[in-house]
Amino acid sequence: KQEVTQIPAALSVPEGENLVLNCSFTDSAIYNLQWFRQDPGKGLTSLLLIQSSQREQTSGRLNASLDKSSGRSTLYIAASQPGDSATYLCAVSGGAGSYQLTFGKGTKLSVIP
Amino acid sequence: GAVVSQHPSRVICKSGTSVKIECRSLDFQATTMFWYRQFPKKSLMLMATSNEGSKATYEQGVEKDKFLINHASLTLSTLTVTSAHPEDSSFYICSARDLMEQFFGPGTRLTVL
């Protein structure tokens, strides 16, 4: 059974800092990996999707990497802003045509002005 | 990206009543929709996978008679919580799959008194 772990559970940084969020998964047979953002009481916003054949994806100040063989992914946020404060969720979808997502518990990020 | 809506966004009901939550894909057809449940500070837990025109596939531990799922068209899936009890209070989120990616609705906060 796939398990996804996110470290740290919470992170507080001053505005302007670069930061890294970590995600690990136990079964490397994944179809893809996604990073989401969730604001309090809201749904999920997809940030980046990395296919299993890819090593990284970039969108603006966000960069996500994937090392499938070691079961790890990182989300790098450059020049953090207070508006980045949210919970960041990592999710992997299974291989062999399974599209079900398994989520981590998330990292709650607070960017202090 | 594709848009998924949920209605209602928030519902409060008395114990014993049934509540229906709608999930719609607004600008694409979704052959597969998913229903998740999220407890405070916990991961999103997949409840069931819903395919248009067929019975939903429920995850282990999810009572199919309590959580009725109907996926009557390519743009609409409904989740009915029957005879709701306070322990059913939670945040319910649906998603719809478009080719390679899942898009999430904004969620429905259910409170059972």
Side-chain angles (χ1 to χ4, degrees), chain B residues 14-111:
Chain B
K14 292 182 179 180
S15 185
T17 59
S18 293
V19 175
K20 180 185 284 188
I21 303 170
E22 292 187 349
C23 176
R24 294 181 184 272
S25 57
L26 298 185
D27 50 3
F28 67 100
Q29 293 183 329
T31 54
T32 305
M33 289 184 170
F34 303 87
W35 287 95
Y36 296 84
R37 183 173 180 177
Q38 187 178 34
F39 291 102
K41 299 183 180 180
K42 299 288 186 182
S43 300
L44 271 75
M45 299 298 296
L46 179 66
M47 298 175 65
T49 302
S50 166
N51 292 298
E52 186 266 337
S54 63
K55 290 184 178 180
T57 301
Y58 290 80
E59 294 300 301
Q60 191 173 9
V62 178
E63 299 176 58
K64 61 180 67 176
D65 294 331
K66 181 165 190 62
F67 299 100
L68 301 179
I69 292 173
N70 183 275
H71 192 161
S73 77
L74 288 172
T75 60
L76 173 65
S77 177
T78 60
L79 167 67
T80 301
V81 183
T82 62
S83 187
H85 291 282
E87 57 265 29
D88 299 324
S89 299
S90 191
F91 193 56
Y92 293 87
I93 305 178
C94 74
S95 71
R97 191 171 72 83
D98 174 20
L99 296 178
M100 300 168 69
E101 189 172 349
Q102 283 189 36
F103 297 92
F104 285 78
T108 296
R109 172 71 62 189
L110 170 63
T111 302

Side-chain angles (χ1 to χ4, degrees), chain A residues 18-107:
Chain A
N18 303 325
L19 59 101
V20 175
L21 307 181
N22 297 290
C23 172
S24 61
F25 46 95
T26 54
D27 186 348
S28 62
I30 64 170
Y31 184 69
N32 59 40
L33 181 144
Q34 280 184 269
W35 283 94
F36 296 89
R37 169 185 173 141
Q38 185 176 31
D39 292 286
K42 304 292 185 181
L44 276 62
T45 300
S46 180
L47 298 174
L48 290 164
L49 182 151
I50 310 177
Q51 299 296 338
S52 61
S53 58
Q54 297 175 322
R55 296 299 299 268
E56 67 177 345
Q57 282 287 337
T58 298
S59 176
R61 294 183 293 109
L62 306 179
N63 176 276
S65 68
L66 173 64
D67 184 342
K68 200 175 79 161
S69 60
S70 68
R72 296 174 189 268
S73 175
T74 61
L75 178 66
Y76 175 83
I77 301 178
S80 58
Q81 303 171 357
D84 295 331
S85 297
T87 296
Y88 291 80
L89 297 166
C90 169
V92 297
S93 66
S98 168
Y99 300 107
Q100 292 182 3
L101 290 174
T102 302
F103 284 84
K105 292 184 179 180
T107 294

